[in-house]
Amino acid sequence: MKHLCGGSIVGKQWIVTAAHCLEGLEGATTLLRVYAGIVNQSEIHRNTPFFRVQEIIIHEKYEMANHGYDIALLKVEVPINYTTLQKPICLPSKGDGKITYTNCWVTGWGYTKERGKVQDTLQKIFVPLITNEDCQMSYREHKITNKMICAGYEEGKKDACKGDSGGPLSCQQNGIWHLVGITSWGEGCARPGRPGVYTKVDEYVDWILKNTST
Ligand code: ARG
């Protein structure tokens, strides 16, 4: 068993994550375990409860992370009981794409440097959102679509990295945390002028609602 990716609870039986996390695992639901309410990976033992995955739904237009549509849903076999440690995060409302969030955090157990390792303790960093125009200037070799959102520092140094994918870019607005992004890709990690690129969740709210209503 090894750490694969992060994810966010968006319903009693639904986890949203990145499609690229599930590449080659489309038919392998039995190999996956979803752990909720964990802070330290060392809490995970043979007898730690986990959720089995009943269904994997990958966005039908997904090809590769840096082309976009990097979103997937996992349906877990039994409903998750909500506690302070495991609870759903609000989806943005439609049209929230215009909101300028100023309190955004990226979290995960991923590497703390490019040639690093998965962390035992869940990590968090504050990341400023940047405009798609600025992000496009940082990634001339890629198309930054309006379904992507970028965050990071001009000087680099703080970013998501390998192992953080699929996890949330969470922004607090009027006291409520919203799932604004899903950790998707970036050139290396925390390199100057190379922000993190996230799936822009407000563009996928209809897709999430449609696919979780089954
Ligand atoms: N793709 C990586 C993963 O699978 C992480 C992507 C985020 N990279 C970044 N530099 N922001 O975990």
Side-chain angles (χ1 to χ4, degrees), residues 155-195:
E155 68 274 23
K157 293 194 165 64
K158 290 182 193 175
D159 190 12
C161 198
K162 197 172 160 58
D164 292 320
S165 285
L169 172 68
S170 321
C171 305
Q172 197 191 33
Q173 181 82 349
N174 302 325
I176 296 172
W177 290 96
H178 293 94
L179 183 63
V180 169
I182 300 166
T183 302
S184 178
W185 63 279
E187 178 63 38
C189 303
R191 296 187 187 175
R194 294 293 201 169

Side-chain angles (χ1 to χ4, degrees), residues 39-139:
V39 176
N40 294 300
Q41 300 238 351
S42 53
E43 294 169 50
I44 299 173
H45 295 111
R46 240 179 2 269
N47 44 12
T48 308
F50 62 87
F51 296 88
R52 289 183 199 281
V53 174
Q54 187 175 96
E55 193 185 352
I56 297 175
I57 304 174
I58 294 176
H59 197 289
E60 45 283 359
K61 289 192 175 156
Y62 171 75
E63 285 171 4
M64 56 198 283
N66 56 31
H67 288 187
Y69 304 101
D70 193 9
I71 185 169
L73 286 161
L74 301 177
K75 186 178 193 181
V76 293
E77 280 185 358
V78 296
I80 300 168
N81 66 304
Y82 297 155
T83 68
T84 48
L85 290 177
Q86 53 187 51
K87 58 184 184 179
I89 183 164
C90 294
L91 295 174
S93 307
K94 258 214 254 174
D96 276 6
K98 288 181 267 312
I99 296 179
T100 45
Y101 296 99
T102 54
N103 188 17
C104 298
W105 295 75
V106 60
T107 50
W109 288 271
Y111 290 14
T112 51
K113 55 181 182 200
E114 274 184 35
R115 294 177 164 212
K117 55 177 191 306
V118 169
Q119 298 297 298
D120 182 48
T121 305
L122 182 61
Q123 307 283 307
K124 62 173 180 187
I125 48 157
F126 175 92
V127 277
L129 298 184
I130 65 182
T131 65
N132 277 38
E133 209 177 334
D134 285 349
C135 192
Q136 183 63 79
M137 289 198 282
S138 298
Y139 283 112

